[in-house]
Amino acid sequence: MQAIEEFLNASIQLSSKSIAAMVRSYPRCLTLSLTQVERVTEFLRDLGLTTDDLNKAYRAFPALLALDIDRNAMPVVALLRDWGLADVATMVRGLPPLLVYDIHTDIQPKLKFLRSVMNMDTKKVLEFPAVFSYSLRDRIAPRLLYLRRLGIDV
């Protein structure tokens, strides 16, 4: 763990205090390899995240360090780009867990709903990536129906 702490401190200026807080909230950090942490950090930098972005993302969502790039992140990135959301870094800045969401049950149905039912364009989706953290069935759709009943077009 010392090597990981040194890497996080040197590469993204994450303090020892912040790293300790991350371990408390996500103890699995202790089982990760330095190679894993370096690979995730490089992947996120390649997406366009800055040192400050990484610092904030890791503190907010330490499980991001355990990201399975091939199984989770790459399919999410590919899907978002296929839908015209080329600026994936903006999405990750606004919602770091986005890269671990399932594309078939979480992201794709919401994208379809946002585009086809709500007529939301790419720019609007980029402005509010947190929409992907909400339940389509229990939160997004009912609120849209409520607003439409009030005569508010969204």
Side-chain angles (χ1 to χ4, degrees), residues 24-94:
R24 278 193 300 279
S25 70
Y26 187 69
R28 184 171 173 221
C29 287
L30 296 171
T31 67
L32 299 174
S33 70
L34 177 58
T35 304
Q36 165 68 18
V37 174
E38 289 172 334
R39 186 168 183 246
V40 169
T41 301
E42 181 181 343
F43 174 79
L44 295 172
R45 282 191 191 280
D46 289 347
L47 281 181
L49 272 71
T50 65
T51 295
D52 189 50
D53 295 334
L54 289 168
N55 189 305
K56 289 175 184 173
Y58 287 159
R59 283 186 292 124
F61 189 64
L64 200 55
L65 292 167
L67 178 66
D68 186 328
I69 294 169
D70 299 321
R71 197 170 126 232
N72 295 100
M74 292 303 291
V76 170
V77 170
L79 177 69
L80 293 173
R81 287 181 174 158
D82 285 349
W83 279 77
L85 297 164
D87 188 4
V88 178
T90 296
M91 302 286 290
V92 175
R93 273 184 212 104

Side-chain angles (χ1 to χ4, degrees), residues 95-134:
L95 185 66
L98 179 66
L99 293 174
V100 299
Y101 289 174
D102 184 270
I103 61 170
H104 302 292
T105 60
D106 288 321
I107 299 174
Q108 202 163 32
K110 291 172 188 170
L111 276 172
K112 286 180 182 177
F113 184 85
L114 294 172
R115 289 269 176 90
S116 62
V117 177
M118 294 185 69
N119 299 318
M120 190 178 279
D121 66 7
T122 301
K123 185 178 178 186
K124 289 290 182 193
V125 175
L126 282 171
E127 289 173 3
F128 191 62
V131 72
F132 290 102
S133 68
Y134 302 141

